[in-house]
């Protein structure tokens, strides 16, 4: 296989429309996002300086609101410190003016110096108070920033955990989620920029006030000096933001490659299949593409800054020439000119800072706006709250002509096959109901619809006649315990892996123990280095790894700990050894005897012998329903019967192939299983 690292030069700067070879090979196409610019992205890029300035109060207000929620006292401290700092600067400038006036006056030098002493004391006091105010502001900002980031993060997380599963699986929602995550960090940085903007505004006002008093012509000259830098800052940050939006997915894909190389779960395959150098080569290739973009950005920024510096030099020259003119014509005294130079320098610095910070504020605001958009979108796609109560002791759940198609792009043919079509079936409560069928026949989809994770596109799911769509969803979820096919392996302790099944009450140790015993996980836990406190995640201190079957036992224990009305077990024994499998099915039988409803999905057809009702799905349609006997005895042919016969023959052949003397002990379990068949 060709390795991209060997010919990376061809991919450098390959941010082309068809994408770099790495993008095409690994991700199926270009990852640059260049279409469908959303409204605010365009809005930012088309924004004029004036439009930015006029919406400044709104932006500052939204940051202040976040900070207010995060820490009011720190916000007050920062606000007061910044205003105080500005006031000291203004008083300081006036005092400097006094000092220069006194020193440059006529008379003996000792008298002149003496006359300047009170003003000098003012200069010293204002510098000291100014410095104290600055450090108070720095301390307050440092306290405020992490809190604002946390509040912003919580703001979107608390909405995201309540959206429909469909939204979480949606690509557009995910893209928004990705960029909104920058918004939380953006909100944190906005605090610094806001503080700097307020500080620079007050300082500028002080300098501008002093300059206007000295001579009205000086203020426009000051503005002229700062214009080129403002233009450069605005231009550069727009280019950066545009580039960020275009390259965001590409950057994420690059991070995905590097993360994959250090994660623990793909580590064995990376080594045995020697995938490491291959992925590393593509990582380098993708990085080189984005390095090309960074170089382009840096060049463009350097060019803009050079032009701006030249223009600023000209403007500064004009200002000092004007000052000289005022001096020469006697319009301005030498002492006043000295203050004017100081005020011009201080004012120009404040104004440049102000414009740079406003610009940075806008750049960050774009990401924060993404976060706000995500909150709005998450609210729109939230799982509805409220509804009719779910019947306390329902007797029957009925699927009525249910059709469901997964949302998403419709592919080349333009149409998507429904995952379920026109399914009508019964799930009687207090029974074991089995769902069987080939891979992709819709079994998992059906139970997800049953649990309220998706809503049927057509038809209805009725609980004792009541449409589930009208039922309170939180109430509905509370009725289910689920061991899904891809159940989550929580990177937490063994105890928590079971107790996380029910988090709405205090953790009950005895029930955790009982659940572990039920699922055959007690021995697994006993053998762990730190028992219940063993962390089941390699790569952390004390982290421990368990086998796939051991995980499955913990998953089953978790569902048992949840203690819900309906237990959904989707392939609960796929990773279990024959003995553990038999035990699990025995436990399921006992649960049903105690009145629990169990919905069992399995490919081991012998295990559904005890089910009260078996539904057979094929390509999203219900093909057969009945008890094990009905499905195997009566029909001369049938899907279930065929599949069952196939599995049975396989066992019989295996048994015949093994000579009695060659039987291994493990075959004893297989014999036990085949006896069930
Ligand atoms: N989240 C999803 N988004 C889009 N399509 C999906 C999703 N999950 C499943 N599908 C599609 O829906 C169909 C039914 O899938 P489902 O997972 O329900 O099958 P299954 O009967 O559980 O199969 P298996 O025995 O392999 O677990 C398949 O064609 C599958 O590709
Ligand atoms: Mg499945």
């Amino acid at each position: 296989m060709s390795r991209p690292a060997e010919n990376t030069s061809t991919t450098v700067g390959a941010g082309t429309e068809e994408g770099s070879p790495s993008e095409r090979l690994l991700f199926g196409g270009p990852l640059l996002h260049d279409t469908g610019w959303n409204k605010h992205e365009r809005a930012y890029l088309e924004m004029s300086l004036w439009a930015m300035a006029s919406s400044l109060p709104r932006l500052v207000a939204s940051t202040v609101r976040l900070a207010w929620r995060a820490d009011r006292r720190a916000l007050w401290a920062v606000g007061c410190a910044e205003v105080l700092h500005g006031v000291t600067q203004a008083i300081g400038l006036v005092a400097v003016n006094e000092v220069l006036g006194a020193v440059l006056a006529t008379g003996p030098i000792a008298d002149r110096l003496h006359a300047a002493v009170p003003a000098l004391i003012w200069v010293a006091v204002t510098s000291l108070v100014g410095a104290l105010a600055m450090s108070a502001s720095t301390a307050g900002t440092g306290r405020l920033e992490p809190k604002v980031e946390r509040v912003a993060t919580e703001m979107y997380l608390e909405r995201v955990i309540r959206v429909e599963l469909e939204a979480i699986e949606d690509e557009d929602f995910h893209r928004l989620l990705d960029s909104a995550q920058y918004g939380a960090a953006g909100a944190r940085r906005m605090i610094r920029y806001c503080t700097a903007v307020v500080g620079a505004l007050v300082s500028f006002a002080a300098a501008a006030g002093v300059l206007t008093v000295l001579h009205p012509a000086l203020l426009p000259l000051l503005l002229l000096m700062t214009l080129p830098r403002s233009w450069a800052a605005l231009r550069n940050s727009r280019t950066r933001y545009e580039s960020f939006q275009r390259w965001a997915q590409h950057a994420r894909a690059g991070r995905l490659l590097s993360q994959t190389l250090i994660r623990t779960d793909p580590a064995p395959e990376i080594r045995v299949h020697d995938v490491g150098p291959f992925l590393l080569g593509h990582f380098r290739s993708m990085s080189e593409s984005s390095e090309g973009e960074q170089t382009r950005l840096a060049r463009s920024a350097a060019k803009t800054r050079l032009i701006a510096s030249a223009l600023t030099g000209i403007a500064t020259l004009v200002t000092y020439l004007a000052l000289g003119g005022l001096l020469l014509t006697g319009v301005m005294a030498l002492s006043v000119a000295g203050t004017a130079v100081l005020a011009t320098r201080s004012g120009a610095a404040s104004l440049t800072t102000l414009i740079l910070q406003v610009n940075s504020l806008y750049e960050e605001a774009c990401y924060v706006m993404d976060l706000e958009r995500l909150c709005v979108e998450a609210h729109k796609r939230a799982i509805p709250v409220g509804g009719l109560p779910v019947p306390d002791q329902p007797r029957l759940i009925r699927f009525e002509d249910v059709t469901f198609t997964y949302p998403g792009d419709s592919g080349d043919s333009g149409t998507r096959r429904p995952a379920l079509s026109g399914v009508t079936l019964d799930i009687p409560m207090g029974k074991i109901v089995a769902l069987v069928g080939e891979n992709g026949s819709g079994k998992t989809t059906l139970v997800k619809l049953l649990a309220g994770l998706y809503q049927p596109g057509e038809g209805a799911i009725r609980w004792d006649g009541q449409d589930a769509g009208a039922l309170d969803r939180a109430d509905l979820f509370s009725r289910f315990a689920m061991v899904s096919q891809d159940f989550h392996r929580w990177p937490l302790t063994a105890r928590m892996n079971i107790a996380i099944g029910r988090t709405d009450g205090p953790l009950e140790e005895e029930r955790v123990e009982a659940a572990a015993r039920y699922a055959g996980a007690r021995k697994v836990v006993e053998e762990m280095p730190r028992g219940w406190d063993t962390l089941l995640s390699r790569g952390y201190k004390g982290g421990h790894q368990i086998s796939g079957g051991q995980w499955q036992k913990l998953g089953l224990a978790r569902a048992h700990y949840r203690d819900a009305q309906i237990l959904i077990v989707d392939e609960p024994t796929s990773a279990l050894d024959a003995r553990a499998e038999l035990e699990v099915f025995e436990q399921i039988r006992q649960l049903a005897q105690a009145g629990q409803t169990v919905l069992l999905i399995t490919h081991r057809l012998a295990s559904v012998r005890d089910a009260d009702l078996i539904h057979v799905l094929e390509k999203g349609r219900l093909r057969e329903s009945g008890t094990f006997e009905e499905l195997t005895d009566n029909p001369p042919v049938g899907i279930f019967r065929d599949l069952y016969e196939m599995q049975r023959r396989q066992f019989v052949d295996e048994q015949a192939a093994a000579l009695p003397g060659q039987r291994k002990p493990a075959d004893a379990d297989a014999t036990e299983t085949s006896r069930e068949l």
Side-chain angles (χ1 to χ4, degrees), residues 277-471:
F278 171 78
L279 285 185
L280 192 61
H282 283 291
F283 169 75
R284 191 178 307 138
S285 156
M286 303 243 336
S287 303
E288 277 169 348
S289 298
S290 51
E291 280 159 21
E293 171 67 2
Q294 296 299 318
T295 311
R296 187 188 71 79
L297 279 182
R299 277 207 197 112
S300 144
K303 207 167 107 190
T304 312
R305 266 191 216 128
L306 203 65
I307 297 171
S309 297
L311 292 174
T312 307
I314 295 169
T316 312
L317 193 70
V318 169
T319 306
Y320 286 121
L321 282 177
L323 261 179
L326 289 172
L327 265 177
L328 281 176
T329 49
V331 177
M332 191 179 272
L334 188 62
S335 66
V336 176
T339 314
V341 170
L342 284 178
T344 307
R345 288 178 69 94
S346 145
S350 313
L351 195 56
T352 308
T353 312
L354 180 68
I355 290 174
L356 287 179
Q357 302 296 342
V358 167
N359 198 51
S360 305
L361 193 66
Y362 268 92
E363 210 175 332
E364 297 301 338
C366 287
Y367 301 110
V368 178
M369 276 188 239
D370 280 340
L371 189 141
E372 287 173 0
R373 252 168 11 103
L374 174 77
C375 290
V376 172
E377 194 63 23
H379 182 72
K380 274 195 229 152
R381 305 183 71 163
I383 295 170
V385 177
L388 299 172
V390 178
D392 230 10
Q393 294 296 331
R395 277 169 294 131
L396 181 75
I397 303 174
R398 170 166 290 166
F399 276 59
E400 271 181 13
D401 209 10
V402 170
T403 295
F404 176 77
T405 309
Y406 282 102
D409 93 56
S410 49
D412 293 342
S413 63
T415 49
R416 276 179 75 88
R417 187 171 69 81
L420 288 177
S421 27
V423 172
T424 300
L425 55 79
D426 284 350
I427 299 166
M429 293 290 103
K431 308 277 185 207
I432 300 180
V433 178
L435 286 179
V436 298
E438 292 175 346
N439 293 134
S441 55
K443 307 178 293 295
T444 300
T445 308
L446 191 145
V447 292
K448 282 185 176 164
L449 280 157
L450 172 70
L453 288 169
Y454 300 120
Q455 302 301 308
E458 287 165 40
I461 302 167
R462 299 193 182 277
W463 289 57
D464 283 350
Q466 184 67 254
D467 187 347
L471 300 177

Side-chain angles (χ1 to χ4, degrees), residues 20-188:
S20 67
S22 291
E23 284 168 82
R24 285 201 304 276
L25 182 65
L26 300 184
F27 302 100
L31 292 168
L32 298 187
H33 180 71
D34 54 357
T35 50
W37 284 82
N38 66 41
K39 246 183 173 169
H40 90 264
E41 286 161 351
R42 275 253 75 90
Y44 174 70
L45 294 170
E46 283 164 6
M47 208 172 236
S48 68
L49 208 60
W50 169 245
M52 280 173 85
S54 58
S55 59
L56 182 65
R58 190 174 55 83
L59 283 177
V60 175
S62 79
T63 314
V64 169
R65 265 199 306 277
L66 267 177
W68 183 254
R69 276 176 62 188
D71 188 338
R72 287 167 201 198
R73 282 181 55 190
L75 179 65
W76 270 115
V78 171
C80 293
E82 284 300 325
V83 171
L84 184 62
H85 178 242
V87 171
T88 56
Q89 275 197 320
I91 299 175
L93 268 178
V94 174
V96 166
N97 192 28
E98 294 285 309
V99 172
L100 289 176
V103 173
L104 299 175
T106 49
I109 185 70
D111 289 353
R112 280 188 270 159
L113 285 177
H114 194 257
V117 168
L120 270 174
I121 294 175
W122 270 110
V123 171
V125 170
T126 49
S127 319
L128 180 68
V129 175
L132 287 176
M134 273 319 280
S135 60
S137 169
T138 307
T141 311
R143 206 171 99 190
L144 206 51
E145 278 183 1
K147 292 189 183 189
V148 166
E149 184 168 358
R150 193 246 310 147
V151 167
T153 307
E154 273 181 0
M155 198 168 98
Y156 78 83
L157 285 183
E158 69 196 14
R159 285 168 178 81
V160 167
I161 55 174
R162 294 198 166 78
V163 298
E164 295 277 11
L165 185 62
E166 215 173 86
I168 284 289
E169 290 175 348
D170 177 41
E171 182 220 348
D172 283 340
F173 189 79
H174 239 275
R175 207 170 69 80
L176 194 52
L177 194 55
D178 277 333
S179 62
Q181 285 172 29
Y182 287 94
R188 178 192 182 124

